[in-house]
Amino acid sequence: MLNVKKEGIILEKTNLDFENEGVLNPAAIREGEFVHLFYRAVHLGNHSSIGYCLLKGPLTIVERHCEPILIPEFDYESHGIEDPRLVKIEETYYLTYTAYDGVNALGCLATTTDLVHFEKKGILVPQITYEEFNKLSITNSLINSKYFRYNQHEGILEKNGIKMLIWDKNIIFFPRKINDKFYFMHRIRPEIQIVVAVYSLEELTIEFWKNYFIDFHQYVLLSPKYNHEISYIGGGCPPIETEFGWLLIYHGVSDSLTGYVYSACAAMLDLENPKKEIARLPYPLFKPEYVWELKGEVDNVCFPTGAVVFEDTLYIYYGAADERIACASMSLSSLIKELMENTK
């Protein structure tokens, strides 16, 4: 069994207005000996912005901003910007996040070349109702019945004058182009889907998404498989390139007598064809066990969103009980070895 070390809490909420209700679910990227963390900061009323802190090495805070680095500006994010992920492709950083307008939660993109000045590119995912999604996606195949359970919003078609859409979250880019094309994951519950091989993000038109949903079954990357992820799964950290494939840390959710339990999970994808799953751990990489993970704004949550590597140690930053940020570490080579003993 893999040895995972819980490093403990890295960041907690403060009395500052923008983060007085919680800090969680950070994006992380290593630059030399430093790690940049861009985290979801929540103020009273559950309105989120993106905060920033700098670590020296994987664990030591050397700088933390007293104001958010990204705030809601547009109608589609009026109630918050949440759960960022970050990669660098060529000379540009791609920061994806979930925008919430009080009704719909949709994946968005902002780019930067300096990690200071961000240009928001807007909503990347399709803006589609469940009825439209269902009509398109059953054209060529039946889809998992859980899509109905999680996405039809109990039959509510409109809220506060806004049309209810499919919630499409957890956009995560692969950290390099593959055959000169962008690849990214997204999540419509209960599975993780992948968008493959677009030369430009301008290709993500209404027509693109219609064709995508007609062949929707072809783009399901991972489906719930084991008990710890049986309810639904979703994206976690940006994939990490290894000689064996793309190491993917994601989250899995199971139901219990006290509610949902969120765990960190691991899989391996093919380097040149990331639609192909090579291996998956049959048990959670780590799960809630300490008080900071068991009790909080949402109990029983380990929600991984950022990861960095120092020598052979993988550090995974995660939201703990939706209220604080913690870190877990493990041997990267040991994790890969364990995965490759559980090939598909």
Side-chain angles (χ1 to χ4, degrees):
M1 184 72 73
L2 185 70
N3 181 32
V4 175
K5 179 183 178 182
K6 294 284 182 72
E7 302 285 355
I9 298 170
I10 303 297
L11 282 181
E12 295 191 82
K13 61 185 177 183
T14 69
N15 292 326
L16 295 171
D17 181 65
F18 78 100
E19 59 180 17
N20 57 11
E21 194 165 271
V23 297
L24 60 154
N25 303 356
I29 195 165
R30 180 183 174 184
E31 298 279 353
E33 63 179 328
F34 296 98
V35 176
H36 301 272
L37 288 186
F38 294 84
Y39 59 90
R40 177 180 173 185
V42 187
H43 75 83
L44 293 177
N46 195 31
H47 288 248
S48 299
S49 58
I50 305 299
Y52 169 82
C53 80
L54 182 68
L55 307 179
K56 186 173 183 180
L59 301 173
T60 304
I61 299 171
V62 294
E63 180 183 342
R64 184 174 181 177
H65 286 192
C66 294
E67 296 181 350
I69 197 165
L70 274 173
I71 61 173
E73 298 174 87
F74 303 102
D75 288 344
Y76 61 82
E77 56 188 17
S78 58
H79 281 240
I81 52 180
E82 307 173 354
D83 303 350
R85 273 77 164 202
L86 182 65
V87 300
K88 186 179 184 182
I89 303 174
E90 298 168 352
E91 299 305 312
T92 300
Y93 298 92
Y94 292 76
L95 186 141
T96 50
Y97 63 92
T98 296
Y100 183 53
D101 64 2
V103 176
N104 295 306
L106 299 169
C108 296
L109 171 68
T111 60
T112 178
T113 56
D114 59 10
L115 295 178
V116 177
H117 305 95
F118 289 84
E119 180 182 356
K120 291 182 178 178
K121 300 294 187 178
I123 298 170
L124 282 193
V125 297
Q127 298 172 62
I128 187 171
T129 66
Y130 176 78
E131 183 181 15
E132 293 167 332
F133 161 79
N134 193 50
K135 285 180 179 178
L136 290 169
S137 58
I138 65 173
T139 301
N140 289 339
S141 67
L142 293 174
I143 63 171
N144 189 325
S145 62
K146 285 187 177 181
Y147 280 97
F148 175 81
R149 172 185 171 187
Y150 289 127
N151 297 289
Q152 55 81 37
H153 305 300
E154 297 181 342
I156 300 171
L157 302 180
E158 188 176 293
K159 184 178 179 181
N160 300 331
I162 301 174
K163 184 185 295 186
M164 299 286 288
L165 304 175
I166 289 278
W167 283 24
D168 196 337
K169 306 167 66 173
N170 296 315
I171 292 183
I172 304 170
F173 277 82
F174 284 74
R176 68 168 170 85
K177 293 180 180 179
I178 301 172
N179 297 320
D180 203 34
K181 298 176 182 179
F182 290 101
Y183 283 63
F184 67 84
M185 295 172 288
H186 63 122
R187 198 283 299 275
I188 300 172
R189 284 199 296 179
E191 299 169 311
I192 300 173
Q193 299 85 29
I194 188 168
V195 171
V196 298
V198 292
Y199 285 107
S200 168
L201 299 180
E202 280 68 39
E203 294 178 39
L204 302 176
T205 61
I206 293 174
E207 193 62 29
F208 173 94
W209 288 116
K210 284 183 178 179
N211 292 330
Y212 180 89
F213 284 124
I214 287 172
D215 292 320
F216 185 64
H217 63 288
Q218 296 185 21
Y219 302 109
V220 173
L221 179 61
L222 295 178
S223 300
K225 182 176 180 180
Y226 298 111
N227 286 339
H228 62 278
E229 59 185 21
I230 197 64
S231 293
Y232 58 89
I233 60 176
C237 309
I240 297 170
E241 187 170 3
T242 76
E243 63 177 304
F244 295 95
W246 293 105
L247 171 61
L248 181 63
I249 308 299
Y250 64 99
H251 72 266
V253 184
S254 62
D255 208 352
S256 73
L257 293 176
T258 57
Y260 286 131
V261 178
Y262 285 72
S263 300
C265 311
M268 189 74 77
L269 309 175
D270 186 84
L271 276 181
E272 296 306 314
N273 180 19
K275 289 172 62 178
K276 180 181 178 183
E277 177 187 345
I278 296 173
R280 190 189 312 200
L281 285 187
Y283 56 85
L285 183 59
F286 57 88
K287 60 184 180 180
E289 54 183 331
Y290 294 104
V291 64
W292 67 80
E293 304 160 330
L294 297 170
K295 297 295 181 182
E297 187 66 26
V298 180
D299 296 344
N300 300 315
V301 173
C302 290
F303 193 92
T305 48
V308 298
V309 177
F310 280 81
E311 297 179 343
D312 185 48
T313 304
L314 173 65
Y315 294 87
I316 299 174
Y317 304 97
Y318 63 96
D322 268 18
E323 192 171 314
R324 52 195 73 89
I325 294 168
C327 182
S329 65
M330 66 217 66
S331 163
L332 177 61
S333 57
S334 295
L335 172 56
I336 293 171
K337 181 176 182 293
E338 187 84 2
L339 269 168
M340 301 314 292
E341 291 175 354
N342 289 279
T343 53
K344 189 173 181 180

